[in-house]
Amino acid sequence: PPTAAPDEEARRVRLARWTPIRGPRDAKVTLVVFTDFECPFCRRLLPAIEEVRKTYGDDVRVAVRHMPLPFHPHAQLAAEAAMAAGEQGRFWQMHDLLFEHQDALEMDDLARYAEELGLDVKRFREDLDARRFQSQVDADARAASDFGVTGTPTTFVNGRRIAGAQPADVFIETVRFELRRADRTLAAGAPRDRLYDTILDTIVEPGEGPVPRVEVAVADAP
């Protein structure tokens, strides 16, 4: 069993094969944001994330996983639209447009954004009509539940949880801590292209702590 104490605020948040990433794949710090395009707090988080990217440059990367909340009627389709745009190389441009126009996320709105981005609109509409990316969005949402995420936005910085639209200073402080941990991990011989997974492997989640030992007297028991 692990010998480290469990970390209540950390999870081994892996990236799915379809997870969009902004930044170098071998960055020292990975921010995984569980988001909802109809959530006003998710939109409020964007400047803080951008400040982190400006501050640390190629040392950080940002990954998006979806968690459309059931009381946001357009969030699921918007998430699928972002993935459909990503299939044509425009995920992040669509991501930014959807947050810019949170009050206009009907199908015709999404098609208009696709046209604005120069996408193949016919293919885009067909992908949405066929619900081609529903399974990926649903898998992200299930993963969020497994990691104990109950609301958006929730961000994991190298596995360390930050809940809500916190100010940039909160993220910068956490990233600074994680950069030091990344440097120690690299110095210990971890390969750069597997740095993120190596760091996640050190996390002990709740329920995985050391097994308690107690003395049980046998005495004259049969």
Side-chain angles (χ1 to χ4, degrees):
T3 57
D7 189 336
E8 296 292 337
E9 294 302 320
R11 295 291 187 275
R12 293 189 293 271
V13 182
R14 310 286 180 183
L15 303 182
R17 58 178 174 76
W18 57 79
T19 302
I21 297 172
R22 178 182 267 172
R25 290 189 172 270
D26 64 350
K28 293 180 180 179
V29 178
T30 299
L31 286 73
V32 182
V33 185
F34 282 92
T35 196
D36 173 321
F37 286 110
E38 209 170 349
C39 166
F41 302 103
C42 294
R43 179 176 178 177
R44 196 177 302 170
L45 175 67
L46 298 183
I49 297 296
E50 189 59 28
E51 184 67 22
V52 170
R53 294 183 64 236
K54 288 179 179 178
T55 301
Y56 292 106
D58 287 346
D59 279 340
V60 301
R61 63 177 180 168
V62 178
V64 164
R65 300 198 68 177
H66 301 285
M67 188 183 173
L69 300 174
F71 51 84
H72 287 156
H74 306 297
Q76 175 78 25
L77 186 61
E80 294 177 31
M83 298 301 289
E87 186 74 1
Q88 298 189 42
R90 294 289 186 275
F91 174 85
W92 292 103
Q93 292 87 340
M94 181 64 81
H95 168 279
D96 294 346
L97 274 178
L98 294 175
F99 275 124
E100 184 180 347
H101 302 288
Q102 283 189 312
D103 57 345
L105 298 176
E106 301 282 355
M107 175 65 89
D108 288 344
D109 300 314
L110 302 176
R112 187 171 69 255
Y113 306 147
E115 185 175 7
E116 181 178 332
L117 294 175
L119 303 184
D120 180 336
V121 178
K122 180 175 181 293
R123 175 184 168 191
F124 177 83
R125 278 186 173 274
E126 287 174 350
D127 284 343
L128 292 188
D129 287 341
R131 306 299 302 276
R132 183 180 170 196
F133 300 98
Q134 180 182 9
S135 61
Q136 295 178 1
V137 174
D138 290 348
D140 278 354
R142 286 194 301 273
S145 178
D146 291 342
F147 297 136
V149 177
T150 57
T152 57
T154 297
T155 307
F156 291 88
V157 182
N158 276 6
R160 193 173 300 277
R161 183 203 308 264
I162 298 178
Q166 301 293 335
D169 288 350
V170 172
F171 287 91
I172 287 174
E173 179 181 354
T174 305
V175 169
R176 186 182 298 122
F177 174 87
E178 289 301 325
L179 282 173
R180 292 195 295 268
R181 180 159 68 142
D183 287 337
R184 291 194 301 270
T185 304
L186 290 170
R192 183 68 182 258
D193 62 349
R194 281 197 45 79
L195 176 61
Y196 181 60
D197 286 332
T198 302
I199 290 173
L200 292 187
D201 288 341
T202 68
I203 293 174
V204 181
E205 296 185 353
E208 296 180 345
V211 177
R213 299 176 65 88
V214 297
E215 292 214 12
V216 181
V218 176
D220 296 326

